[in-house]
Amino acid sequence: MIFENIKIAGISAAVPRTVVNNLRDHAFVPLEEREKTVKLTGVEEYRKAADDQTTADLCEAAARALLKGLNVDPKTVDGLILVTMTPDYVAPSTACVLQAKLGLPLAAVTFDVNLGCSGYVYGLYIACSLIQGGSLKRVLLLAGDTQTKICYEQDKNTVFLLGDAGSATILESAPGSSSPIRMKFMTDGSKKDSLIVPAGGFRNPSNDKTRKIEKQPDGGTRSHEHLYLNGMEVFNFSITDVVSTIKEFIAEENIQVDGMDYLVLHQANKFMTDKIAKKLGFPADKVPYSLSKYGNTSSASIPLTMAHCFSKLGDKKDLRCLLSGFGVGLSWGVVDINLQSTRYLDVIEV
Amino acid sequence: MEELFLKRFAEALEKEVGVKMEDDFREYEEWDSLSLLVILSMVDDEYGVNIDANHFAGMKTVKDIFEFIIKKSA
């Protein structure tokens, strides 16, 4: 799929102030094991939302900074998409709450999308579709999650990896723009159980049993309302399915890896992303990271990485990037985009 | 080939005393979910073989992994 005459005007990200340090904290795991984990995953620390701080709060902060930084009047935004798997409410869509808070027009097309690690690239697809086929002029794409709220604090499979963040991206109709945006998406719902919060929805409603925290067969401790991550299945998925799709995409679209400035991967963990980059033939200096400081931040990880790394690049205006998000669903996608004159704001703390 | 596999297996786990074919790898003191990923990665890098979760669940010894690789790469 291909989109034309669309540009990304700017990208921002916001993180909570509270720092969780993997070596200093998590005393329930011996220090030696903590060191081994940090060495392998690359996550030294991440941010944790306060009890009363939600995905909407983080995304709102990122959005306000971006609207202000780009000098965009909220009344000129005619689409608002929020990608999250940790919304503020079961109903309504959290995006509706943000439409009012941010002062967007009543006529703005506004909705949530329930996706995690693949969410940002999906968000770009939906935003581009709304602009190209749906006659919108300016879309605010918010992607964020507060995953620490769905991880049990002593589940060592998740608690060393996952952090909280929100992001904002503004996409605009740009007639005459010469750089097409290409994308490809894949889904394999048969592997849904490898990354799942099994209970608390309507298939397995919340009750005393689903809330009970206990040792699970995989060795982790959590309840059925916490996030379960099957490391082996997700690892295999990432280094086989995700890599194959990106390789196919590169071949189908006749993309020259040497001509790419950056490969921005979902910040799953460094062990895995290094391996994906290597298999795709990208040298380490073309693969930016934010995970040592912010961990794996689900749908926010790609824009957070761009804000964290690209805001330091100064005046380098054109960046040809391959973006790939992959995870819960299982769902994955890849985007080839030439970022021209995109503004990247420094990461904000809230 | 066997010797090289054992060497790579021990290196991946940073096990200085080395490993033996008959070892039950889950009984290693340092074995955990991360070691598993390191071994999966080594097998993928060195032999181009992916071990899926179902097959892995049935493996007990280092030899089981070695034989799976031989079968897959045959």
Side-chain angles (χ1 to χ4, degrees), chain A residues 33 36-37 39-41 157 230-233 235-236 239-240 269 271 275 278-279, chain B residues 14 30-38 40-42 44-45 50-53 56:
Chain A
E33 196 179 330
K36 184 178 161 189
T37 306
K39 190 177 153 204
L40 199 72
T41 63
N157 290 336
N230 183 319
M232 179 171 188
E233 284 177 6
F235 178 81
N236 276 336
I239 65 160
T240 55
N269 68 67
F271 179 66
K275 208 165 153 62
K278 194 174 154 201
K279 280 176 178 262
Chain B
E14 295 178 26
E30 57 274 77
W31 185 261
D32 58 18
S33 58
L34 295 177
S35 324
L36 164 61
L37 297 189
V38 171
L40 289 179
S41 179
M42 181 277 286
D44 175 56
D45 283 344
N50 284 293
I51 310 174
D52 60 279
F56 187 77

Short mmCIF file of all heavy atoms in Angstrom, two decimals, chain A residues 33 36-37 39-41 157 230-233 235-236 239-240 269 271 275 278-279, chain B residues 14 30-38 40-42 44-45 50-53 56:
data_model
loop_
_atom_site.label_atom_id
_atom_site.label_comp_id
_atom_site.label_asym_id
_atom_site.label_seq_id
_atom_site.Cartn_x
_atom_site.Cartn_y
_atom_site.Cartn_z
N GLU A 33 21.24 -11.87 39.00
CA GLU A 33 20.24 -12.13 37.96
C GLU A 33 19.74 -10.82 37.34
O GLU A 33 19.49 -10.73 36.14
CB GLU A 33 19.07 -12.92 38.57
CG GLU A 33 18.19 -13.56 37.51
CD GLU A 33 17.06 -14.37 38.13
OE1 GLU A 33 17.23 -14.90 39.25
OE2 GLU A 33 15.99 -14.45 37.50
N LYS A 36 22.37 -9.74 34.88
CA LYS A 36 22.32 -10.55 33.67
C LYS A 36 21.16 -10.10 32.77
O LYS A 36 21.30 -9.97 31.55
CB LYS A 36 22.12 -12.02 34.10
CG LYS A 36 22.14 -13.02 32.98
CD LYS A 36 21.99 -14.43 33.53
CE LYS A 36 21.54 -15.40 32.47
NZ LYS A 36 21.17 -16.71 33.01
N THR A 37 20.03 -9.82 33.41
CA THR A 37 18.85 -9.38 32.66
C THR A 37 19.10 -8.05 31.96
O THR A 37 18.80 -7.89 30.78
CB THR A 37 17.64 -9.25 33.61
OG1 THR A 37 17.48 -10.49 34.30
CG2 THR A 37 16.36 -8.93 32.86
N LYS A 39 21.94 -6.74 31.14
CA LYS A 39 22.96 -6.91 30.11
C LYS A 39 22.31 -7.43 28.81
O LYS A 39 22.62 -6.99 27.71
CB LYS A 39 24.02 -7.90 30.61
CG LYS A 39 25.25 -7.97 29.75
CD LYS A 39 26.28 -8.91 30.36
CE LYS A 39 27.15 -9.50 29.27
NZ LYS A 39 27.77 -10.76 29.64
N LEU A 40 21.41 -8.37 28.96
CA LEU A 40 20.79 -9.00 27.80
C LEU A 40 19.70 -8.12 27.16
O LEU A 40 19.65 -7.97 25.95
CB LEU A 40 20.19 -10.35 28.21
CG LEU A 40 19.93 -11.31 27.07
CD1 LEU A 40 21.23 -11.86 26.52
CD2 LEU A 40 19.05 -12.47 27.54
N THR A 41 18.84 -7.55 27.98
CA THR A 41 17.70 -6.79 27.44
C THR A 41 18.06 -5.36 27.09
O THR A 41 17.36 -4.73 26.31
CB THR A 41 16.54 -6.74 28.45
OG1 THR A 41 16.99 -6.03 29.61
CG2 THR A 41 16.07 -8.13 28.83
N ASN A 157 9.18 -11.79 34.25
CA ASN A 157 9.11 -11.86 32.78
C ASN A 157 8.77 -10.50 32.16
O ASN A 157 9.06 -10.26 31.00
CB ASN A 157 8.07 -12.89 32.33
CG ASN A 157 8.54 -14.30 32.62
OD1 ASN A 157 9.73 -14.56 32.72
ND2 ASN A 157 7.60 -15.21 32.76
N ASN A 230 4.95 -14.74 26.73
CA ASN A 230 5.69 -15.98 26.47
C ASN A 230 6.95 -15.63 25.69
O ASN A 230 6.91 -15.42 24.47
CB ASN A 230 4.82 -16.96 25.67
CG ASN A 230 5.51 -18.29 25.46
OD1 ASN A 230 6.70 -18.35 25.19
ND2 ASN A 230 4.77 -19.37 25.59
N GLY A 231 8.05 -15.51 26.44
CA GLY A 231 9.30 -15.02 25.85
C GLY A 231 9.75 -15.82 24.64
O GLY A 231 10.18 -15.25 23.64
N MET A 232 9.61 -17.13 24.73
CA MET A 232 10.10 -17.98 23.64
C MET A 232 9.28 -17.78 22.37
O MET A 232 9.84 -17.63 21.27
CB MET A 232 10.03 -19.43 24.09
CG MET A 232 10.50 -20.38 23.03
SD MET A 232 10.65 -22.04 23.68
CE MET A 232 11.42 -22.83 22.28
N GLU A 233 7.96 -17.77 22.52
CA GLU A 233 7.12 -17.61 21.32
C GLU A 233 7.29 -16.23 20.70
O GLU A 233 7.34 -16.09 19.47
CB GLU A 233 5.65 -17.88 21.67
CG GLU A 233 5.40 -19.37 21.83
CD GLU A 233 3.98 -19.72 22.24
OE1 GLU A 233 3.13 -18.81 22.30
OE2 GLU A 233 3.74 -20.91 22.51
N PHE A 235 9.90 -14.31 20.94
CA PHE A 235 11.24 -14.26 20.36
C PHE A 235 11.24 -14.92 18.98
O PHE A 235 11.71 -14.34 17.99
CB PHE A 235 12.23 -14.96 21.30
CG PHE A 235 13.64 -15.02 20.76
CD1 PHE A 235 14.48 -13.93 20.88
CD2 PHE A 235 14.11 -16.16 20.14
CE1 PHE A 235 15.78 -13.98 20.38
CE2 PHE A 235 15.40 -16.22 19.64
CZ PHE A 235 16.23 -15.13 19.77
N ASN A 236 10.69 -16.13 18.92
CA ASN A 236 10.65 -16.83 17.63
C ASN A 236 9.87 -16.05 16.58
O ASN A 236 10.28 -15.95 15.43
CB ASN A 236 10.04 -18.23 17.81
CG ASN A 236 11.07 -19.25 18.26
OD1 ASN A 236 12.26 -19.08 18.04
ND2 ASN A 236 10.62 -20.30 18.92
N ILE A 239 12.05 -12.98 15.39
CA ILE A 239 13.22 -13.21 14.53
C ILE A 239 12.88 -14.00 13.26
O ILE A 239 13.71 -14.13 12.38
CB ILE A 239 14.41 -13.86 15.28
CG1 ILE A 239 14.05 -15.27 15.74
CG2 ILE A 239 14.88 -13.00 16.43
CD1 ILE A 239 15.28 -16.11 16.02
N THR A 240 11.66 -14.54 13.18
CA THR A 240 11.28 -15.24 11.95
C THR A 240 10.20 -14.46 11.18
O THR A 240 10.48 -13.87 10.15
CB THR A 240 10.81 -16.68 12.22
OG1 THR A 240 9.76 -16.65 13.18
CG2 THR A 240 11.92 -17.53 12.76
N ASN A 269 13.33 -5.58 23.11
CA ASN A 269 14.47 -5.69 24.02
C ASN A 269 15.70 -5.76 23.12
O ASN A 269 15.60 -6.15 21.96
CB ASN A 269 14.36 -6.88 24.98
CG ASN A 269 14.48 -8.20 24.27
OD1 ASN A 269 15.53 -8.54 23.74
ND2 ASN A 269 13.40 -8.96 24.23
N PHE A 271 18.46 -7.46 22.88
CA PHE A 271 18.91 -8.76 22.39
C PHE A 271 18.18 -9.11 21.09
O PHE A 271 18.77 -9.52 20.09
CB PHE A 271 18.63 -9.79 23.49
CG PHE A 271 19.01 -11.19 23.14
CD1 PHE A 271 20.33 -11.54 22.94
CD2 PHE A 271 18.03 -12.17 23.02
CE1 PHE A 271 20.67 -12.84 22.65
CE2 PHE A 271 18.37 -13.47 22.73
CZ PHE A 271 19.69 -13.81 22.53
N LYS A 275 19.29 -8.43 16.90
CA LYS A 275 19.26 -9.61 16.04
C LYS A 275 18.44 -9.35 14.76
O LYS A 275 18.85 -9.73 13.66
CB LYS A 275 18.65 -10.77 16.83
CG LYS A 275 19.15 -12.10 16.39
CD LYS A 275 18.83 -13.15 17.40
CE LYS A 275 18.72 -14.48 16.71
NZ LYS A 275 19.95 -14.92 16.06
N LYS A 278 20.47 -7.08 12.51
CA LYS A 278 21.57 -7.83 11.90
C LYS A 278 21.06 -8.68 10.74
O LYS A 278 21.64 -8.71 9.65
CB LYS A 278 22.23 -8.71 12.98
CG LYS A 278 23.56 -9.29 12.58
CD LYS A 278 24.19 -10.02 13.76
CE LYS A 278 25.13 -11.09 13.25
NZ LYS A 278 25.39 -12.13 14.25
N LYS A 279 19.93 -9.35 10.96
CA LYS A 279 19.36 -10.19 9.90
C LYS A 279 18.95 -9.36 8.68
O LYS A 279 18.93 -9.86 7.57
CB LYS A 279 18.14 -10.96 10.43
CG LYS A 279 18.50 -12.19 11.24
CD LYS A 279 17.24 -12.85 11.81
CE LYS A 279 17.56 -14.10 12.59
NZ LYS A 279 17.38 -15.33 11.81
N GLU B 14 27.79 -19.06 29.07
CA GLU B 14 28.96 -18.63 29.84
C GLU B 14 29.28 -19.65 30.93
O GLU B 14 29.54 -19.31 32.08
CB GLU B 14 28.74 -17.24 30.44
CG GLU B 14 28.62 -16.17 29.36
CD GLU B 14 28.37 -14.77 29.93
OE1 GLU B 14 28.74 -14.52 31.09
OE2 GLU B 14 27.81 -13.95 29.21
N GLU B 30 22.28 -21.86 36.38
CA GLU B 30 22.04 -20.56 35.75
C GLU B 30 20.90 -20.58 34.72
O GLU B 30 20.65 -19.59 34.06
CB GLU B 30 23.31 -20.01 35.11
CG GLU B 30 23.98 -20.90 34.07
CD GLU B 30 24.94 -21.90 34.71
OE1 GLU B 30 24.43 -22.90 35.27
OE2 GLU B 30 26.16 -21.70 34.64
N TRP B 31 20.22 -21.71 34.57
CA TRP B 31 19.18 -21.80 33.55
C TRP B 31 17.96 -20.95 33.93
O TRP B 31 17.43 -21.05 35.03
CB TRP B 31 18.74 -23.26 33.34
CG TRP B 31 17.75 -23.36 32.21
CD1 TRP B 31 16.39 -23.44 32.31
CD2 TRP B 31 18.04 -23.35 30.81
NE1 TRP B 31 15.81 -23.49 31.06
CE2 TRP B 31 16.81 -23.43 30.13
CE3 TRP B 31 19.23 -23.26 30.07
CZ2 TRP B 31 16.73 -23.44 28.73
CZ3 TRP B 31 19.14 -23.28 28.68
CH2 TRP B 31 17.91 -23.36 28.03
N ASP B 32 17.53 -20.09 33.03
CA ASP B 32 16.28 -19.33 33.24
C ASP B 32 15.72 -18.94 31.87
O ASP B 32 16.24 -19.38 30.83
CB ASP B 32 16.53 -18.10 34.12
CG ASP B 32 17.57 -17.16 33.55
OD1 ASP B 32 17.87 -17.24 32.34
OD2 ASP B 32 18.09 -16.32 34.30
N SER B 33 14.70 -18.13 31.87
CA SER B 33 14.04 -17.79 30.60
C SER B 33 14.98 -17.03 29.65
O SER B 33 14.82 -17.08 28.44
CB SER B 33 12.77 -16.99 30.86
OG SER B 33 13.08 -15.82 31.57
N LEU B 34 15.96 -16.33 30.25
CA LEU B 34 16.90 -15.60 29.40
C LEU B 34 17.90 -16.56 28.74
O LEU B 34 18.26 -16.40 27.58
CB LEU B 34 17.66 -14.54 30.21
CG LEU B 34 16.81 -13.41 30.77
CD1 LEU B 34 17.67 -12.49 31.62
CD2 LEU B 34 16.13 -12.62 29.66
N SER B 35 18.33 -17.57 29.52
CA SER B 35 19.25 -18.56 28.94
C SER B 35 18.60 -19.22 27.74
O SER B 35 19.25 -19.51 26.73
CB SER B 35 19.58 -19.67 29.95
OG SER B 35 19.66 -19.18 31.24
N LEU B 36 17.31 -19.46 27.88
CA LEU B 36 16.57 -20.09 26.79
C LEU B 36 16.69 -19.26 25.52
O LEU B 36 16.97 -19.78 24.44
CB LEU B 36 15.10 -20.24 27.23
CG LEU B 36 14.07 -20.53 26.15
CD1 LEU B 36 14.38 -21.84 25.46
CD2 LEU B 36 12.68 -20.60 26.77
N LEU B 37 16.51 -17.93 25.66
CA LEU B 37 16.59 -17.05 24.48
C LEU B 37 18.00 -17.05 23.90
O LEU B 37 18.17 -17.01 22.68
CB LEU B 37 16.17 -15.63 24.84
CG LEU B 37 14.73 -15.44 25.32
CD1 LEU B 37 14.40 -13.96 25.42
CD2 LEU B 37 13.74 -16.13 24.40
N VAL B 38 18.98 -17.11 24.78
CA VAL B 38 20.37 -17.12 24.32
C VAL B 38 20.65 -18.39 23.51
O VAL B 38 21.29 -18.35 22.45
CB VAL B 38 21.34 -17.00 25.53
CG1 VAL B 38 22.77 -17.23 25.10
CG2 VAL B 38 21.19 -15.65 26.20
N LEU B 40 18.32 -20.27 21.96
CA LEU B 40 17.54 -20.18 20.72
C LEU B 40 18.28 -19.34 19.69
O LEU B 40 18.33 -19.66 18.50
CB LEU B 40 16.18 -19.53 20.98
CG LEU B 40 15.15 -20.33 21.76
CD1 LEU B 40 13.89 -19.49 21.94
CD2 LEU B 40 14.82 -21.63 21.05
N SER B 41 18.85 -18.24 20.18
CA SER B 41 19.55 -17.32 19.31
C SER B 41 20.81 -17.96 18.73
O SER B 41 21.10 -17.84 17.53
CB SER B 41 19.91 -16.07 20.12
OG SER B 41 20.61 -15.18 19.32
N MET B 42 21.54 -18.68 19.58
CA MET B 42 22.76 -19.37 19.13
C MET B 42 22.40 -20.41 18.04
O MET B 42 23.05 -20.47 17.00
CB MET B 42 23.44 -20.04 20.33
CG MET B 42 24.74 -20.77 20.05
SD MET B 42 24.53 -22.45 19.43
CE MET B 42 24.03 -23.33 20.93
N ASP B 44 19.84 -20.44 16.10
CA ASP B 44 19.42 -19.73 14.89
C ASP B 44 20.63 -19.16 14.13
O ASP B 44 20.76 -19.33 12.92
CB ASP B 44 18.45 -18.61 15.29
CG ASP B 44 18.06 -17.75 14.10
OD1 ASP B 44 17.56 -18.31 13.11
OD2 ASP B 44 18.29 -16.52 14.15
N ASP B 45 21.53 -18.52 14.88
CA ASP B 45 22.72 -17.92 14.25
C ASP B 45 23.62 -18.96 13.59
O ASP B 45 24.05 -18.80 12.45
CB ASP B 45 23.59 -17.19 15.30
CG ASP B 45 23.00 -15.85 15.70
OD1 ASP B 45 22.14 -15.34 14.96
OD2 ASP B 45 23.40 -15.32 16.75
N ASN B 50 15.15 -22.89 13.79
CA ASN B 50 14.31 -22.32 14.85
C ASN B 50 13.65 -23.45 15.63
O ASN B 50 13.09 -24.36 15.03
CB ASN B 50 13.23 -21.43 14.26
CG ASN B 50 13.79 -20.11 13.83
OD1 ASN B 50 14.21 -19.32 14.66
ND2 ASN B 50 13.83 -19.89 12.53
N ILE B 51 13.75 -23.38 16.93
CA ILE B 51 13.10 -24.40 17.76
C ILE B 51 11.80 -23.81 18.27
O ILE B 51 11.80 -22.80 18.96
CB ILE B 51 13.99 -24.79 18.97
CG1 ILE B 51 15.41 -25.12 18.50
CG2 ILE B 51 13.38 -25.95 19.72
CD1 ILE B 51 16.39 -25.37 19.64
N ASP B 52 10.66 -24.43 17.90
CA ASP B 52 9.39 -23.89 18.35
C ASP B 52 9.07 -24.39 19.77
O ASP B 52 9.65 -25.37 20.25
CB ASP B 52 8.26 -24.27 17.39
CG ASP B 52 8.12 -25.76 17.27
OD1 ASP B 52 8.91 -26.37 16.52
OD2 ASP B 52 7.27 -26.31 17.97
N ALA B 53 8.14 -23.68 20.41
CA ALA B 53 7.83 -23.94 21.82
C ALA B 53 7.35 -25.38 22.04
O ALA B 53 7.73 -26.01 23.04
CB ALA B 53 6.78 -22.95 22.32
N PHE B 56 10.28 -27.70 21.88
CA PHE B 56 11.19 -27.43 22.99
C PHE B 56 10.69 -28.04 24.29
O PHE B 56 11.46 -28.54 25.10
CB PHE B 56 11.42 -25.93 23.15
CG PHE B 56 12.47 -25.61 24.16
CD1 PHE B 56 13.81 -25.77 23.85
CD2 PHE B 56 12.11 -25.21 25.44
CE1 PHE B 56 14.79 -25.51 24.79
CE2 PHE B 56 13.09 -24.95 26.38
CZ PHE B 56 14.42 -25.11 26.06
#
